[in-house]
DNA sequence: TCAAAAGTGTTGACATTACACCCATGT
DNA sequence: ACATGGGTGTAATGTCAACACTTTTGA
């Protein structure tokens, strides 16, 4: 077991989509009085851990994800590094740190990553105790600066999704246009016109219809699509317009 | 004098515009054989330094800038954190580190910032020895992973400039549309149509014409403009289109 | 008077928006 | 048979790209 770098951690904001809402995976943090065993506070944090000596930070982020969710080889991207002094300055965070990690510096820099998964692949009640999904627009009390961290991750995701087809990481392999539209609406917090959305999607050559329809739904079954990374990379070209 | 955090540094990619090209400020790094005093190698690095204990990383970046250029209160934004193991793996970087900073870990995480200044405000031959401007499209040999760092900073700058009017940080307070166009062309590495560019600029309410013309130029003198941050913030609104 | 950059409008192609009706399925 | 979401086209508007000539100054 290698030693931790005392003032460097990674935090992963794991986004999941359940075809209704955009969710974030959070871990319960419960501080008990060491003597009376009373609950001092309960709140939640994103998944994080200290970086090990000699460990590349990207690997540290993968390690955290793997360890806390069992997931491997999923979309993971660094978005921002949080290094203010105030990030641990709440009273409860101070207590938590002193009681649980007395050897850790009170100035921890944290490299923020975000990750995209299909919510259905990670069940909230799995063996991963104390870890569950919360809708991004209805978050519980959060520890440290994790509220800001989630907001920033979401902005980053929005900007990225405007430029690149990463939304498919949040969808099952086979999906319908409606599911895709719902996803975009959740991420951007906006409504889109159904016909215009479909028009746009039909111009994306890398969203490919299958010879397959939805089954078991009480309405006209929808066409099923897959995303082809391959076609995407072969057909993409840079746009050079500048705006604002 | 506070202690450094041994494996955490900040690096600032300082961009400057001299109305001809986009430049980066680099420091000469010269390694001499400790016995024979022969030059072992010469190359350049961006401006960086270790973070101090208890110092917010944004402050560390400002400190580096102030110390190395004398500049204060200039545009400064974090863009990416570099934390691979290979960033110091070149033989020359290893030698440099062993000879100059033997106490430093060989796994240093570096938070990358970029900064925007008007090149004319920082003269390359100032008292800031060993620091000079290089065109981004004609860089010398660079130490560590600083080539990748500059490329990434430039991409980041491009994306930011598409969204927000930060180009004015690279221009003098009063500027002409041609200077502005040249800047955009340098940053994006593209040519724009003069009339279309002017049309676009004239829609930007925050680019305000002065009652003033260029002087001493051997052609029709150009209208002079200023940028109003104020007007920008009052008139901006989010765009919600998603592309690709 | 010449060289050099400033300034100015129109057109066609394309993308974006707004909008209403019929279809296939399960219950 | 009905409720539910699936699927489709057009017209109006806005945005982008391409393009050539006249003006003002200093040398």
């Amino acid at each position: 077991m290698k030693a931790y770098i005392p003032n460097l951690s990674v935090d992963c904001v794991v986004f999941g989509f359940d075809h209704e809402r955009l969710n974030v995976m959070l871990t319960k943090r419960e501080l008990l009085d060491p003597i009376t065993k009373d609950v001092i506070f309960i709140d939640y944090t994103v998944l994080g851990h200290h970086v090990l000596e000699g460990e590349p930070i990207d690997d540290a982020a993968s390690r955290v994800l793997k360890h806390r969710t069992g997931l491997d080889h999923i979309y993971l991207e660094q978005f921002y590094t949080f290094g203010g002094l105030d990030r641990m300055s709440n009273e409860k965070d101070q207590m938590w740190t002193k009681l649980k990690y007395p050897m850790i510096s009170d100035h921890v820099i944290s490299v923020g990553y975000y990750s995209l998964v299909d919510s259905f692949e990670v069940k909230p009640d799995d063996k991963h105790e104390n870890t569950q999904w919360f809708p991004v627009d209805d978050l519980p009390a959060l520890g440290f600066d994790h509220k800001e961290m989630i907001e920033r991750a979401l902005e980053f995701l929005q900007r990225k999704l405007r430029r690149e087809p990463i939304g498919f990481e949040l969808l099952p392999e086979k999906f319908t246009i409606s599911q895709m539209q719902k996803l975009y609406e959740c991420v951007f917090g906006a409504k889109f016109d159904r016909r215009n959305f479909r028009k746009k999607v039909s111009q994306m050559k890398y969203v490919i219809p299958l010879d397959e329809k939805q089954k078991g739904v009480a309405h006209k079954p929808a066409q099923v699509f897959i995303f082809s990374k391959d076609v995407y990379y072969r057909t993409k070209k840079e746009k050079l317009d500048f705006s604002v």
Side-chain angles (χ1 to χ4, degrees), chain A:
Chain A
M1 190 64 179
K2 282 194 183 167
Y4 304 149
I5 297 180
N7 26 28
L8 189 67
S9 68
V10 291
D11 281 303
C12 298
V13 179
V14 183
F15 288 109
F17 180 58
D18 61 8
H19 302 194
E20 277 303 319
R21 303 172 91 173
L22 186 67
N23 302 305
V24 188
M25 191 179 286
L26 299 174
T27 296
K28 190 192 277 184
R29 184 172 75 150
E30 196 168 18
L31 188 63
L32 303 181
D33 186 296
I35 294 160
T36 66
K37 304 297 174 196
D38 290 342
V39 172
I40 303 177
F41 69 81
I42 292 181
D43 65 7
Y44 291 83
T45 62
V46 303
L47 314 186
H49 203 264
H50 280 260
V51 177
L52 306 181
E53 296 273 2
E55 181 183 43
I57 53 176
D58 290 355
D59 291 8
S62 307
R63 173 172 55 82
V64 167
L65 267 179
K66 173 76 182 191
H67 178 244
R68 302 298 297 284
T69 67
L71 294 175
D72 219 344
H73 303 296
I74 58 178
Y75 186 93
L76 182 61
E77 194 187 3
Q78 192 201 113
F79 68 96
Y80 196 74
T81 296
F82 299 82
L85 281 179
D86 49 337
R87 37 190 317 263
M88 309 175 73
S89 59
N90 277 337
E91 202 192 335
K92 59 179 194 177
D93 298 326
Q94 296 258 337
M95 276 167 40
W96 172 265
T97 309
K98 273 201 200 96
L99 283 171
K100 292 269 190 170
Y101 303 100
M103 72 299 277
I104 288 294
S105 147
D106 60 352
H107 181 211
V108 175
I109 281 88
S110 186
V111 183
Y113 285 76
Y114 73 96
S115 177
L116 305 178
V117 303
D118 175 1
S119 294
F120 294 120
E121 290 199 10
V122 193
K123 290 288 160 25
D125 54 351
D126 262 18
K127 54 189 175 297
H128 318 295
E129 337 87 45
N130 293 336
T131 301
Q132 62 181 293
W133 290 113
F134 289 87
V136 280
D137 48 14
D138 190 15
L139 294 171
L142 292 164
F144 304 113
D145 56 350
H146 289 191
K147 186 161 188 296
E148 187 203 340
M149 202 179 271
I150 292 170
E151 283 164 5
R152 226 182 233 270
L154 180 58
E155 279 171 33
F156 204 92
L157 170 60
Q158 289 172 347
R159 281 207 294 270
K160 184 88 176 182
L161 189 56
R162 261 172 244 268
R163 289 197 318 275
E164 287 178 48
I166 55 165
F168 307 103
E169 305 285 347
L170 287 158
L171 290 169
E173 197 190 349
K174 300 173 177 184
F175 53 88
T176 68
I177 304 276
S178 294
Q179 285 163 359
M180 190 177 157
Q181 175 167 354
K182 190 95 194 173
L183 168 62
Y184 274 75
E185 290 178 340
C186 286
V187 172
F188 290 115
K191 288 279 168 203
F192 301 114
D193 177 88
R194 219 166 82 243
R195 277 182 285 190
N196 294 337
F197 188 90
R198 302 176 99 86
K199 202 185 304 172
K200 197 145 201 170
V201 171
S202 68
Q203 289 161 352
M204 303 175 181
K205 301 224 181 71
Y206 47 84
V207 177
I208 300 168
L210 295 181
D211 256 347
E212 196 174 324
K213 304 242 164 197
Q214 249 182 339
K215 271 178 202 134
V217 286
H219 55 75
K220 180 172 173 179
Q223 173 77 257
V224 173
F225 292 79
I226 55 165
F227 165 63
S228 163
K229 216 173 237 181
D230 222 65
V231 174
Y232 170 65
Y233 284 119
R234 279 208 311 270
T235 59
K236 86 164 170 176
K237 43 185 176 265
E238 291 301 329
K239 292 190 183 183
L240 270 179
D241 77 308
F242 62 96
S243 0
V244 170

